């Protein structure tokens, strides 16, 4: 039941595939209502581009094997030859179980440095390291109240994604990447605070069609409040 991110990637020669951020169109042979995944392509060396099919979040997530099938179907449709799988990704986006009291401090999936709605963690964890060492050396907890609150907002965004159909996820990202750049950057950055995250989420809610607004509202409403209604 733990939400996970999965992906399958291959290296292709530079020039064989253009760089892409998120191509949410279904892969050839994949039904429009099947669990959604997207393609991205990023140059990793002067000679190679990493092309990867990703399930952003799922509980259960699309398997790596299925993502490899989708990836190879996309590449074959473009006439791009691909060798062996270069990258396999499968990790949890939230840690199960409760936090461990006021003195608790964690990193990655056990803390606030893994973004539960995107899977980003490396840059956030590295940036956190110096602050953590400084705080612990003086007997302080480096996990600020604001960081925990911001993480809870991002976890609510993950719940919203998990509740969306494939079509709704595609529609949502059309809305999200149409927001002003300051909101997109604030939400994607693991170190942004509660105010910036709340502003980005409010902007997405305001720009979304009514069907998506219901999904977003339910994700940030405490379960007890929904039962009382």
């Amino acid at each position: 039941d733990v939400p996970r991110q999965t992906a399958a990637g291959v290296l292709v020669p530079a020039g064989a595939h253009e760089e892409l951020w998120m191509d949410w169109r279904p892969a050839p042979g994949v039904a429009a209502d099947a669990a959604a995944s997207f393609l991205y392509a990023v140059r990793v060396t002067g000679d190679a581009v990493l092309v990867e099919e990703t399930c952003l979040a799922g509980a259960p997530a699309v398997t790596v094997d299925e993502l490899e099938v989708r990836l190879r179907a996309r590449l074959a449709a473009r006439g791009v030859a691909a060798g062996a799988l270069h990258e396999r990704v499968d990790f949890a986006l939230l840690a199960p179980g409760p936090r461990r009291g006021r003195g608790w401090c964690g990193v990655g999936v056990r803390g606030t440095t893994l973004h539960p709605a995107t899977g980003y963690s490396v840059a956030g964890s590295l940036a956190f390291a110096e602050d953590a060492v400084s705080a612990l050396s003086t007997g302080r907890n480096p996990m600020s109240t604001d960081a925990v609150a911001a993480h809870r907002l991002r976890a609510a965004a993950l719940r919203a994604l998990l509740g969306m159909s494939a079509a709704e996820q595609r529609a949502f990202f059309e809305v999200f990447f149409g927001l002003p750049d300051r909101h997109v950057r604030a939400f994607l950055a693991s170190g942004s605070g509660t105010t910036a995250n709340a502003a980005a989420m409010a902007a997405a809610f305001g720009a979304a069609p009514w069907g998506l607004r219901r999904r977003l509202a339910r994700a940030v409403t405490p379960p007890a409040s929904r039962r009382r209604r």
Side-chain angles (χ1 to χ4, degrees):
D1 296 330
V2 176
R4 305 185 72 81
Q5 182 172 119
T6 50
V10 297
L11 290 175
V12 300
H17 202 293
E18 75 275 22
E19 292 185 84
L20 294 170
W21 176 234
M22 281 184 168
D23 183 352
W24 282 94
R25 292 173 296 180
V30 175
D33 60 351
S37 61
F38 65 88
L39 181 79
Y40 79 84
V42 59
R43 185 182 291 252
V44 291
T45 71
D47 302 321
V49 172
L50 174 66
V51 186
E52 192 152 293
E53 188 81 12
T54 301
C55 169
L56 184 63
V62 182
T63 67
V64 176
D65 289 343
E66 169 61 20
L67 292 172
E68 181 181 4
V69 171
R70 296 183 184 189
L71 174 62
R72 294 192 183 280
R74 287 190 196 267
L75 294 174
R78 300 168 65 102
V80 178
L85 205 62
H86 180 76
E87 185 168 74
R88 300 174 64 90
V89 175
D90 185 350
F91 62 88
L93 293 167
L94 285 175
R99 301 299 191 233
R100 297 189 287 263
R102 293 183 60 189
W104 170 86
C105 175
V107 177
V109 74
R110 286 287 180 183
T112 65
T113 58
L114 186 145
H115 195 310
T118 67
Y120 293 161
S121 68
V122 175
S125 296
L126 291 174
F128 179 69
E130 187 170 345
D131 291 340
V133 170
S134 176
L136 293 172
S137 67
T138 57
R140 294 182 293 108
N141 187 343
M143 195 66 65
S144 70
T145 301
D146 186 67
V148 173
H151 187 265
R152 287 174 178 164
L153 283 177
R154 293 190 287 265
L158 171 60
R159 290 195 298 273
L161 287 173
L162 293 173
M164 293 179 189
S165 67
E168 287 172 331
Q169 284 190 10
R170 296 182 190 107
F172 172 76
F173 281 101
E174 287 289 336
V175 170
F176 178 75
F177 287 111
L179 296 178
D181 187 63
R182 69 182 185 279
H183 290 317
V184 174
R185 289 179 178 273
F187 185 76
L188 295 180
S190 60
S192 58
T194 305
T195 300
N197 275 275
M201 293 171 72
F205 180 85
W210 282 107
L212 278 177
R213 287 185 184 184
R214 182 178 179 183
R215 293 285 192 197
L216 298 173
R218 284 181 63 83
V220 298
T221 304
S225 298
R226 294 202 295 268
R227 286 196 296 269
R228 286 195 295 269
R229 293 177 185 175

